[in-house]
Amino acid sequence: MDVLTQNFPLYREGFLGTVELTFYASLIALSVGLLMAAFRVAPVRALRAVGATWVNVLRNTPLTLLFFAVLLGLPRFGLVLPFRLFAVLALGCYTSAFICEVVRSGINTVPKGQGEAARSLGMTFPQTLAYVVLPQAFRTVIPPVGSTLIALAKNSAIAGAFSVTELLGTYRTLNERGFSIVWIFVWIAVGYLIITLFLSALFGVMEKRWGIAR
């Protein structure tokens, strides 16, 4: 317990940093992922190409490499932002590719007749997607979206290697202070466990309320 009690402010700062990264990156991942899923099922070929390219490039790029590209590459082109914001963008965009595929799989579970009926009533593609297809698809994608965001929370640990304050990065300071590396990582693991259990409970409640009974 000495590792935690004597260094609680440091652990708290790292924990809150991870929570902040997870929250803002999740907002980007959900927003962009939903948009790319709409592109992937759009009737316009150019939009489908954009969605497919986005998914294939990001899903097949190692996250660490993406961090290098965003945090170290973009400033060379004159885009200078705080490293934390770069980390949020990297995490959010990377995870959006997986969210896109999850949402697209949910859209594919909706019978085609639903969309055809909406179009026969004169609804446009965006209206059909927003009012007919996505509300039904939402019920099927709650568990996989939750799993994807839990993975995002754990992936945020990479940000610590780029001078971004987060939970895993606290081990360097604590190790320099001479504390046992075993107990350092035990309390770091407890912090990640709290975050992931909270996300699991949140999506569990959502699934019980809105999910499809199996």
Side-chain angles (χ1 to χ4, degrees):
M1 287 293 294
D2 290 344
V3 178
L4 179 64
T5 55
Q6 295 180 26
N7 301 279
F8 185 75
L10 181 63
Y11 270 112
R12 180 182 58 194
E13 183 180 7
F15 179 83
L16 294 177
T18 296
V19 170
E20 185 180 3
L21 278 173
T22 302
F23 177 75
Y24 289 113
S26 295
L27 293 181
I28 293 176
L30 292 170
S31 302
V32 178
L34 184 60
L35 178 63
M36 290 299 131
F39 281 5
R40 295 214 66 183
V41 298
V44 181
R45 180 177 299 180
L47 293 180
R48 293 200 301 271
V50 170
T53 301
W54 181 271
V55 170
N56 289 327
V57 170
L58 290 177
R59 194 171 57 171
N60 294 295
T61 300
L63 182 55
T64 304
L65 179 60
L66 185 60
F67 263 86
F68 274 110
V70 173
L71 274 76
L72 303 181
L74 291 181
R76 294 180 178 270
F77 294 95
L79 184 58
V80 179
L81 297 170
F83 268 21
R84 174 168 292 276
L85 182 53
F86 278 136
V88 168
L89 290 174
L91 274 172
C93 290
Y94 176 79
T95 309
S96 71
F98 296 90
I99 294 291
C100 170
E101 291 301 275
V102 167
V103 173
R104 187 170 71 97
S105 67
I107 291 174
N108 289 336
T109 64
V110 180
K112 292 183 178 179
Q114 298 279 337
E116 293 172 354
R119 286 192 295 272
S120 69
L121 294 174
M123 297 178 70
T124 63
F125 172 75
Q127 289 174 330
T128 301
L129 199 63
Y131 299 122
V132 178
V133 178
L134 285 179
Q136 298 180 68
F138 167 76
R139 301 180 64 195
T140 66
V141 302
I142 294 174
V145 166
S147 298
T148 304
L149 295 185
I150 287 172
L152 183 154
K154 293 183 288 186
N155 287 338
S156 67
I158 297 177
F162 297 89
S163 302
V164 176
T165 302
E166 52 79 48
L167 190 55
L168 184 61
T170 59
Y171 87 90
R172 298 189 196 88
T173 303
L174 295 174
N175 190 40
E176 291 172 358
R177 294 177 181 177
F179 291 97
S180 170
I181 195 69
V182 174
W183 286 106
I184 291 173
F185 280 108
V186 164
W187 289 111
I188 289 174
V190 169
Y192 280 106
L193 187 63
I194 292 172
I195 295 172
T196 55
L197 286 178
F198 172 78
L199 289 173
S200 296
L202 175 63
F203 279 89
V205 171
M206 293 173 63
E207 185 179 8
K208 287 181 179 179
R209 182 167 182 176
W210 294 301
I212 296 176
R214 303 289 183 181

